[in-house]
Amino acid sequence: NYRLFSRKKEIEETVFASPGCRNMAEHPVLVVAYGLLVSCGILGNSAVISVTMDSTCERNRLSSSDLILINIAVANLLLSLTRNTLLLTLDAGLPVSFSSEGCRLMMFVWTWLRSTSIWVTLSLSWFHFVTVRTSRGALERLSERRRVIALMAAEWGVNLVYSGFALGYSSNSTNSTNHLAVISSTIRPLLGCVWTFPTKQSGFIYALVSVVVHEAIPVVLMLYANAGTLLFLYQHHRKVQDSQLAGGDRISHEWRAAKTILYLIGLFVFCWGTHVLSVNYYNFKGSPSTHYLLVIARFSASGFIGLYPLVVAMGHSKIIIGTNQTVHCTQ
């Protein structure tokens, strides 16, 4: 077996950590900055859910795109509560440890939420990629909403089953995590918990499936869907301008939505890529002088969760209106 680190500071993002661990406190500035990011993830995603649901109650219907946005916000909120708050506690220098049963439960929850978050985010890209090319009536929208509900349920359910391996093959005992699991951002262990598959081959297969199915494929599909949507809207916009056809307002609306989704996917890919590269470069080639990579990894891991509400708010008119009304009523 190989060894990635011996230094205790790396326990928050690596697998080689003691079951019960106490971390050296980070610099107060970093703790405050990370605390603000975690707070944005909790309060911001809660606001997205609340405002969207209030808008739904007023209109007596929930649009398919809003349903997907709510699912992303729910996954982000739960990740903030079950993962980022614990890492913040560790950064503050307080002890964080789990029993073997606690590790199984937390690894199950973390894997489930991470995997679901990736696939729900991909669904947003492909939903707009498909719908922007079609004109839908009321019945089509109803049927579309039913399909989206079924898709969301399937994504949560399938990833729940996939994450069930953590209930049987994780603990806080002696590490046997395959090195490929460290590369994966969805199944990377935290806080002293480790994977304990019975053989190296089984651990490798599970980690390989995670890297390919839950990261490589979704990221490639996100980029493809957004590039295709932007190209289609650009070409259609040119046709509308050249022929002066009706539908310019709809194209403008779709173009604004496409840019918002592009910003979301760009933010997701940037945070995911930065996190994976930083952690793994430090794991395999790092030294004490590259400790800053762990700081970058920590913030990039929570970046999408914390900044997602801001990007959605800037491009979602109903959320902007709802937020302004809430602020006005508070004043």
Side-chain angles (χ1 to χ4, degrees):
N1 210 347
Y2 71 99
R3 181 173 63 88
L4 299 182
F5 321 83
S6 60
R7 297 177 294 278
K8 291 183 72 176
K9 175 65 194 77
E10 285 76 286
I11 55 179
E12 77 276 10
E13 289 297 349
T14 62
V15 299
F16 294 90
S18 57
C21 46
R22 181 180 180 86
N23 188 34
M24 296 295 292
E26 281 283 7
H27 192 282
V29 174
L30 293 178
V31 175
V32 171
Y34 188 66
L36 290 175
L37 187 61
V38 173
S39 299
C40 287
I42 295 174
L43 299 177
N45 285 286
S46 298
V48 169
I49 297 170
S50 176
V51 173
T52 305
M53 293 304 297
D54 288 343
S55 176
T56 300
C57 293
E58 292 177 0
R59 295 178 289 127
N60 293 321
R61 67 180 182 86
L62 177 64
S63 67
S64 298
S65 58
D66 285 349
L67 176 60
I68 299 176
L69 291 174
I70 288 176
N71 275 267
I72 298 175
V74 168
N76 288 343
L77 176 60
L78 293 177
L79 271 174
S80 290
L81 293 173
T82 61
R83 175 185 181 274
N84 296 343
T85 53
L86 296 176
L87 295 177
L88 178 61
T89 301
L90 193 68
D91 272 352
L94 300 177
V96 178
S97 62
F98 296 107
S99 64
S100 291
E101 291 74 16
C103 272
R104 293 188 186 100
L105 176 61
M106 297 311 297
M107 288 283 283
F108 167 74
V109 172
W110 293 332
T111 303
W112 181 34
L113 294 176
R114 287 167 172 175
S115 302
T116 303
S117 176
I118 291 176
W119 281 99
V120 175
T121 304
L122 171 62
S123 298
L124 181 65
S125 294
W126 275 91
F127 172 78
H128 199 242
F129 177 76
V130 172
T131 58
V132 75
R133 290 165 168 75
T134 60
S135 179
R136 297 153 294 157
L139 292 178
E140 287 81 2
R141 288 193 180 92
L142 179 60
S143 177
E144 170 192 277
R145 189 156 55 248
R146 290 171 178 168
R147 290 195 297 270
V148 170
I149 292 174
L151 177 63
M152 294 296 101
E155 288 176 346
W156 284 92
V158 171
N159 283 297
L160 180 70
V161 174
Y162 169 80
S163 305
F165 284 92
L167 297 175
Y169 300 111
S170 62
S171 71
N172 64 351
S173 60
T174 303
N175 176 66
S176 62
T177 298
N178 188 279
H179 69 280
L180 191 59
V182 183
I183 298 176
S184 171
S185 66
T186 54
I187 64 172
R188 182 183 298 120
L190 302 172
L191 301 171
C193 300
V194 296
W195 288 103
T196 55
F197 284 98
T199 64
K200 291 183 178 180
Q201 290 77 10
S202 58
F204 175 81
I205 292 173
Y206 186 76
L208 180 64
V209 170
S210 176
V211 171
V212 174
V213 175
H214 291 288
E215 296 181 53
I217 292 177
V219 168
V220 170
L221 291 178
M222 287 178 197
L223 296 174
Y224 174 81
N226 278 272
T229 299
L230 290 174
L231 179 61
F232 174 82
L233 288 174
Y234 174 76
Q235 293 174 343
H236 197 63
H237 180 67
R238 291 290 299 272
K239 291 179 181 179
V240 170
Q241 283 187 327
D242 294 340
S243 58
Q244 295 182 348
L245 294 173
D249 292 339
R250 178 177 178 271
I251 293 299
S252 298
H253 173 74
E254 296 290 358
W255 183 259
R256 184 168 60 252
K259 288 194 294 184
T260 301
I261 295 173
L262 177 64
Y263 295 151
L264 284 175
I265 301 306
L267 175 64
F268 178 88
V269 173
F270 175 79
C271 292
W272 169 80
T274 303
H275 175 71
V276 170
L277 291 175
S278 298
V279 170
N280 287 284
Y281 183 86
Y282 187 84
N283 281 354
F284 295 103
K285 297 184 179 180
S287 65
S289 62
T290 57
H291 174 76
Y292 67 92
L293 290 173
L294 289 180
V295 178
I296 295 175
R298 171 63 60 81
F299 280 86
S300 60
S302 304
F304 178 74
I305 295 174
L307 299 178
Y308 167 81
L310 300 179
V311 177
V312 172
M314 288 188 296
H316 198 293
S317 58
K318 296 183 182 66
I319 292 179
I320 295 175
I321 294 172
T323 303
N324 290 337
Q325 289 177 345
T326 302
V327 173
H328 179 72
C329 291
T330 302
Q331 293 175 346

PDB file of all heavy atoms in Angstrom, residues 126-146:
ATOM      1  N   TRP A 126     -29.108  19.954 -19.581  1.00  0.00           N
ATOM      2  CA  TRP A 126     -29.775  19.224 -20.643  1.00  0.00           C
ATOM      3  C   TRP A 126     -31.240  19.608 -20.779  1.00  0.00           C
ATOM      4  O   TRP A 126     -31.800  19.551 -21.879  1.00  0.00           O
ATOM      5  CB  TRP A 126     -29.630  17.713 -20.405  1.00  0.00           C
ATOM      6  CG  TRP A 126     -28.335  17.241 -20.958  1.00  0.00           C
ATOM      7  CD1 TRP A 126     -27.143  17.157 -20.298  1.00  0.00           C
ATOM      8  CD2 TRP A 126     -28.075  16.846 -22.306  1.00  0.00           C
ATOM      9  NE1 TRP A 126     -26.170  16.727 -21.152  1.00  0.00           N
ATOM     10  CE2 TRP A 126     -26.704  16.521 -22.391  1.00  0.00           C
ATOM     11  CE3 TRP A 126     -28.858  16.730 -23.440  1.00  0.00           C
ATOM     12  CZ2 TRP A 126     -26.104  16.088 -23.566  1.00  0.00           C
ATOM     13  CZ3 TRP A 126     -28.267  16.291 -24.620  1.00  0.00           C
ATOM     14  CH2 TRP A 126     -26.911  15.978 -24.677  1.00  0.00           C
ATOM     15  N   PHE A 127     -31.850  20.021 -19.685  1.00  0.00           N
ATOM     16  CA  PHE A 127     -33.228  20.490 -19.782  1.00  0.00           C
ATOM     17  C   PHE A 127     -33.321  21.709 -20.701  1.00  0.00           C
ATOM     18  O   PHE A 127     -34.166  21.770 -21.594  1.00  0.00           O
ATOM     19  CB  PHE A 127     -33.750  20.845 -18.390  1.00  0.00           C
ATOM     20  CG  PHE A 127     -35.102  21.528 -18.414  1.00  0.00           C
ATOM     21  CD1 PHE A 127     -36.261  20.792 -18.604  1.00  0.00           C
ATOM     22  CD2 PHE A 127     -35.207  22.900 -18.265  1.00  0.00           C
ATOM     23  CE1 PHE A 127     -37.504  21.414 -18.647  1.00  0.00           C
ATOM     24  CE2 PHE A 127     -36.433  23.532 -18.297  1.00  0.00           C
ATOM     25  CZ  PHE A 127     -37.582  22.786 -18.492  1.00  0.00           C
ATOM     26  N   HIS A 128     -32.447  22.660 -20.491  1.00  0.00           N
ATOM     27  CA  HIS A 128     -32.475  23.852 -21.338  1.00  0.00           C
ATOM     28  C   HIS A 128     -32.006  23.533 -22.747  1.00  0.00           C
ATOM     29  O   HIS A 128     -32.503  24.110 -23.723  1.00  0.00           O
ATOM     30  CB  HIS A 128     -31.603  24.944 -20.726  1.00  0.00           C
ATOM     31  CG  HIS A 128     -31.915  26.310 -21.238  1.00  0.00           C
ATOM     32  ND1 HIS A 128     -31.008  27.075 -21.928  1.00  0.00           N
ATOM     33  CD2 HIS A 128     -33.060  27.044 -21.174  1.00  0.00           C
ATOM     34  CE1 HIS A 128     -31.570  28.224 -22.269  1.00  0.00           C
ATOM     35  NE2 HIS A 128     -32.798  28.227 -21.833  1.00  0.00           N
ATOM     36  N   PHE A 129     -31.063  22.610 -22.881  1.00  0.00           N
ATOM     37  CA  PHE A 129     -30.574  22.201 -24.197  1.00  0.00           C
ATOM     38  C   PHE A 129     -31.701  21.620 -25.049  1.00  0.00           C
ATOM     39  O   PHE A 129     -31.784  21.867 -26.256  1.00  0.00           O
ATOM     40  CB  PHE A 129     -29.461  21.162 -24.019  1.00  0.00           C
ATOM     41  CG  PHE A 129     -28.927  20.599 -25.305  1.00  0.00           C
ATOM     42  CD1 PHE A 129     -28.070  21.334 -26.099  1.00  0.00           C
ATOM     43  CD2 PHE A 129     -29.282  19.317 -25.718  1.00  0.00           C
ATOM     44  CE1 PHE A 129     -27.571  20.813 -27.287  1.00  0.00           C
ATOM     45  CE2 PHE A 129     -28.789  18.784 -26.887  1.00  0.00           C
ATOM     46  CZ  PHE A 129     -27.923  19.538 -27.681  1.00  0.00           C
ATOM     47  N   VAL A 130     -32.611  20.868 -24.416  1.00  0.00           N
ATOM     48  CA  VAL A 130     -33.721  20.227 -25.135  1.00  0.00           C
ATOM     49  C   VAL A 130     -34.882  21.186 -25.339  1.00  0.00           C
ATOM     50  O   VAL A 130     -35.415  21.313 -26.449  1.00  0.00           O
ATOM     51  CB  VAL A 130     -34.189  18.964 -24.372  1.00  0.00           C
ATOM     52  CG1 VAL A 130     -35.458  18.398 -25.010  1.00  0.00           C
ATOM     53  CG2 VAL A 130     -33.086  17.923 -24.350  1.00  0.00           C
ATOM     54  N   THR A 131     -35.277  21.897 -24.305  1.00  0.00           N
ATOM     55  CA  THR A 131     -36.489  22.723 -24.380  1.00  0.00           C
ATOM     56  C   THR A 131     -36.310  23.972 -25.221  1.00  0.00           C
ATOM     57  O   THR A 131     -37.290  24.501 -25.756  1.00  0.00           O
ATOM     58  CB  THR A 131     -36.954  23.131 -22.972  1.00  0.00           C
ATOM     59  OG1 THR A 131     -35.884  23.838 -22.313  1.00  0.00           O
ATOM     60  CG2 THR A 131     -37.331  21.916 -22.158  1.00  0.00           C
ATOM     61  N   VAL A 132     -35.092  24.478 -25.329  1.00  0.00           N
ATOM     62  CA  VAL A 132     -34.898  25.701 -26.103  1.00  0.00           C
ATOM     63  C   VAL A 132     -35.178  25.476 -27.589  1.00  0.00           C
ATOM     64  O   VAL A 132     -35.440  26.426 -28.333  1.00  0.00           O
ATOM     65  CB  VAL A 132     -33.454  26.227 -25.902  1.00  0.00           C
ATOM     66  CG1 VAL A 132     -32.448  25.394 -26.678  1.00  0.00           C
ATOM     67  CG2 VAL A 132     -33.353  27.697 -26.297  1.00  0.00           C
ATOM     68  N   ARG A 133     -35.179  24.226 -28.020  1.00  0.00           N
ATOM     69  CA  ARG A 133     -35.406  23.903 -29.426  1.00  0.00           C
ATOM     70  C   ARG A 133     -36.866  23.611 -29.745  1.00  0.00           C
ATOM     71  O   ARG A 133     -37.204  23.338 -30.893  1.00  0.00           O
ATOM     72  CB  ARG A 133     -34.562  22.684 -29.815  1.00  0.00           C
ATOM     73  CG  ARG A 133     -33.079  22.968 -29.872  1.00  0.00           C
ATOM     74  CD  ARG A 133     -32.269  21.682 -29.891  1.00  0.00           C
ATOM     75  NE  ARG A 133     -30.882  21.949 -30.230  1.00  0.00           N
ATOM     76  CZ  ARG A 133     -29.996  22.483 -29.411  1.00  0.00           C
ATOM     77  NH1 ARG A 133     -30.363  22.795 -28.177  1.00  0.00           N
ATOM     78  NH2 ARG A 133     -28.762  22.711 -29.799  1.00  0.00           N
ATOM     79  N   THR A 134     -37.733  23.645 -28.749  1.00  0.00           N
ATOM     80  CA  THR A 134     -39.135  23.277 -28.963  1.00  0.00           C
ATOM     81  C   THR A 134     -40.056  24.372 -28.454  1.00  0.00           C
ATOM     82  O   THR A 134     -39.710  25.134 -27.551  1.00  0.00           O
ATOM     83  CB  THR A 134     -39.467  21.958 -28.240  1.00  0.00           C
ATOM     84  OG1 THR A 134     -39.237  22.113 -26.840  1.00  0.00           O
ATOM     85  CG2 THR A 134     -38.614  20.820 -28.777  1.00  0.00           C
ATOM     86  N   SER A 135     -41.236  24.415 -29.040  1.00  0.00           N
ATOM     87  CA  SER A 135     -42.297  25.317 -28.582  1.00  0.00           C
ATOM     88  C   SER A 135     -43.371  24.460 -27.924  1.00  0.00           C
ATOM     89  O   SER A 135     -43.908  23.539 -28.543  1.00  0.00           O
ATOM     90  CB  SER A 135     -42.885  26.103 -29.756  1.00  0.00           C
ATOM     91  OG  SER A 135     -43.920  26.945 -29.328  1.00  0.00           O
ATOM     92  N   ARG A 136     -43.686  24.762 -26.664  1.00  0.00           N
ATOM     93  CA  ARG A 136     -44.563  23.878 -25.890  1.00  0.00           C
ATOM     94  C   ARG A 136     -45.844  24.578 -25.487  1.00  0.00           C
ATOM     95  O   ARG A 136     -45.822  25.752 -25.109  1.00  0.00           O
ATOM     96  CB  ARG A 136     -43.836  23.409 -24.620  1.00  0.00           C
ATOM     97  CG  ARG A 136     -42.611  22.575 -24.866  1.00  0.00           C
ATOM     98  CD  ARG A 136     -41.630  22.722 -23.710  1.00  0.00           C
ATOM     99  NE  ARG A 136     -41.105  24.089 -23.652  1.00  0.00           N
ATOM    100  CZ  ARG A 136     -40.603  24.652 -22.560  1.00  0.00           C
ATOM    101  NH1 ARG A 136     -40.598  23.989 -21.421  1.00  0.00           N
ATOM    102  NH2 ARG A 136     -40.137  25.887 -22.589  1.00  0.00           N
ATOM    103  N   GLY A 137     -46.933  23.832 -25.559  1.00  0.00           N
ATOM    104  CA  GLY A 137     -48.199  24.327 -25.055  1.00  0.00           C
ATOM    105  C   GLY A 137     -48.401  23.910 -23.608  1.00  0.00           C
ATOM    106  O   GLY A 137     -47.513  23.345 -22.970  1.00  0.00           O
ATOM    107  N   ALA A 138     -49.603  24.163 -23.085  1.00  0.00           N
ATOM    108  CA  ALA A 138     -49.883  23.875 -21.678  1.00  0.00           C
ATOM    109  C   ALA A 138     -49.778  22.384 -21.385  1.00  0.00           C
ATOM    110  O   ALA A 138     -49.217  21.969 -20.364  1.00  0.00           O
ATOM    111  CB  ALA A 138     -51.262  24.399 -21.299  1.00  0.00           C
ATOM    112  N   LEU A 139     -50.331  21.558 -22.273  1.00  0.00           N
ATOM    113  CA  LEU A 139     -50.297  20.109 -22.050  1.00  0.00           C
ATOM    114  C   LEU A 139     -48.874  19.578 -22.131  1.00  0.00           C
ATOM    115  O   LEU A 139     -48.483  18.696 -21.354  1.00  0.00           O
ATOM    116  CB  LEU A 139     -51.184  19.395 -23.072  1.00  0.00           C
ATOM    117  CG  LEU A 139     -52.697  19.630 -22.925  1.00  0.00           C
ATOM    118  CD1 LEU A 139     -53.450  18.912 -24.039  1.00  0.00           C
ATOM    119  CD2 LEU A 139     -53.188  19.151 -21.550  1.00  0.00           C
ATOM    120  N   GLU A 140     -48.106  20.118 -23.075  1.00  0.00           N
ATOM    121  CA  GLU A 140     -46.713  19.685 -23.187  1.00  0.00           C
ATOM    122  C   GLU A 140     -45.921  20.045 -21.942  1.00  0.00           C
ATOM    123  O   GLU A 140     -45.087  19.264 -21.476  1.00  0.00           O
ATOM    124  CB  GLU A 140     -46.060  20.310 -24.422  1.00  0.00           C
ATOM    125  CG  GLU A 140     -46.509  19.726 -25.749  1.00  0.00           C
ATOM    126  CD  GLU A 140     -47.840  20.319 -26.204  1.00  0.00           C
ATOM    127  OE1 GLU A 140     -48.383  21.201 -25.495  1.00  0.00           O
ATOM    128  OE2 GLU A 140     -48.340  19.904 -27.277  1.00  0.00           O
ATOM    129  N   ARG A 141     -46.198  21.238 -21.380  1.00  0.00           N
ATOM    130  CA  ARG A 141     -45.489  21.651 -20.168  1.00  0.00           C
ATOM    131  C   ARG A 141     -45.854  20.757 -18.984  1.00  0.00           C
ATOM    132  O   ARG A 141     -45.004  20.439 -18.149  1.00  0.00           O
ATOM    133  CB  ARG A 141     -45.808  23.110 -19.836  1.00  0.00           C
ATOM    134  CG  ARG A 141     -45.177  24.122 -20.776  1.00  0.00           C
ATOM    135  CD  ARG A 141     -45.279  25.522 -20.210  1.00  0.00           C
ATOM    136  NE  ARG A 141     -44.673  26.495 -21.092  1.00  0.00           N
ATOM    137  CZ  ARG A 141     -45.316  27.166 -22.037  1.00  0.00           C
ATOM    138  NH1 ARG A 141     -46.622  26.975 -22.217  1.00  0.00           N
ATOM    139  NH2 ARG A 141     -44.689  28.031 -22.809  1.00  0.00           N
ATOM    140  N   LEU A 142     -47.120  20.354 -18.901  1.00  0.00           N
ATOM    141  CA  LEU A 142     -47.548  19.463 -17.829  1.00  0.00           C
ATOM    142  C   LEU A 142     -46.854  18.116 -17.947  1.00  0.00           C
ATOM    143  O   LEU A 142     -46.359  17.561 -16.955  1.00  0.00           O
ATOM    144  CB  LEU A 142     -49.066  19.293 -17.867  1.00  0.00           C
ATOM    145  CG  LEU A 142     -49.675  18.360 -16.818  1.00  0.00           C
ATOM    146  CD1 LEU A 142     -49.366  18.871 -15.412  1.00  0.00           C
ATOM    147  CD2 LEU A 142     -51.180  18.222 -17.034  1.00  0.00           C
ATOM    148  N   SER A 143     -46.819  17.579 -19.166  1.00  0.00           N
ATOM    149  CA  SER A 143     -46.141  16.306 -19.385  1.00  0.00           C
ATOM    150  C   SER A 143     -44.642  16.434 -19.113  1.00  0.00           C
ATOM    151  O   SER A 143     -44.025  15.534 -18.532  1.00  0.00           O
ATOM    152  CB  SER A 143     -46.373  15.843 -20.827  1.00  0.00           C
ATOM    153  OG  SER A 143     -45.677  14.645 -21.099  1.00  0.00           O
ATOM    154  N   GLU A 144     -44.086  17.565 -19.511  1.00  0.00           N
ATOM    155  CA  GLU A 144     -42.662  17.818 -19.273  1.00  0.00           C
ATOM    156  C   GLU A 144     -42.364  17.865 -17.785  1.00  0.00           C
ATOM    157  O   GLU A 144     -41.368  17.300 -17.328  1.00  0.00           O
ATOM    158  CB  GLU A 144     -42.282  19.145 -19.928  1.00  0.00           C
ATOM    159  CG  GLU A 144     -40.920  19.668 -19.574  1.00  0.00           C
ATOM    160  CD  GLU A 144     -40.766  21.106 -20.022  1.00  0.00           C
ATOM    161  OE1 GLU A 144     -40.440  21.304 -21.217  1.00  0.00           O
ATOM    162  OE2 GLU A 144     -40.988  22.023 -19.214  1.00  0.00           O
ATOM    163  N   ARG A 145     -43.237  18.517 -17.008  1.00  0.00           N
ATOM    164  CA  ARG A 145     -43.023  18.619 -15.576  1.00  0.00           C
ATOM    165  C   ARG A 145     -43.066  17.244 -14.917  1.00  0.00           C
ATOM    166  O   ARG A 145     -42.295  16.957 -13.997  1.00  0.00           O
ATOM    167  CB  ARG A 145     -44.063  19.557 -14.964  1.00  0.00           C
ATOM    168  CG  ARG A 145     -43.807  19.909 -13.506  1.00  0.00           C
ATOM    169  CD  ARG A 145     -44.455  21.212 -13.119  1.00  0.00           C
ATOM    170  NE  ARG A 145     -45.886  21.229 -13.395  1.00  0.00           N
ATOM    171  CZ  ARG A 145     -46.466  21.981 -14.324  1.00  0.00           C
ATOM    172  NH1 ARG A 145     -45.743  22.768 -15.098  1.00  0.00           N
ATOM    173  NH2 ARG A 145     -47.774  21.950 -14.509  1.00  0.00           N
ATOM    174  N   ARG A 146     -43.960  16.391 -15.376  1.00  0.00           N
ATOM    175  CA  ARG A 146     -44.034  15.039 -14.835  1.00  0.00           C
ATOM    176  C   ARG A 146     -42.755  14.268 -15.119  1.00  0.00           C
ATOM    177  O   ARG A 146     -42.257  13.516 -14.267  1.00  0.00           O
ATOM    178  CB  ARG A 146     -45.235  14.307 -15.429  1.00  0.00           C
ATOM    179  CG  ARG A 146     -46.589  14.838 -14.923  1.00  0.00           C
ATOM    180  CD  ARG A 146     -47.726  14.226 -15.696  1.00  0.00           C
ATOM    181  NE  ARG A 146     -49.018  14.695 -15.195  1.00  0.00           N
ATOM    182  CZ  ARG A 146     -50.172  14.491 -15.831  1.00  0.00           C
ATOM    183  NH1 ARG A 146     -50.193  13.804 -16.982  1.00  0.00           N
ATOM    184  NH2 ARG A 146     -51.295  14.952 -15.307  1.00  0.00           N
TER     185      ARG A 146
END
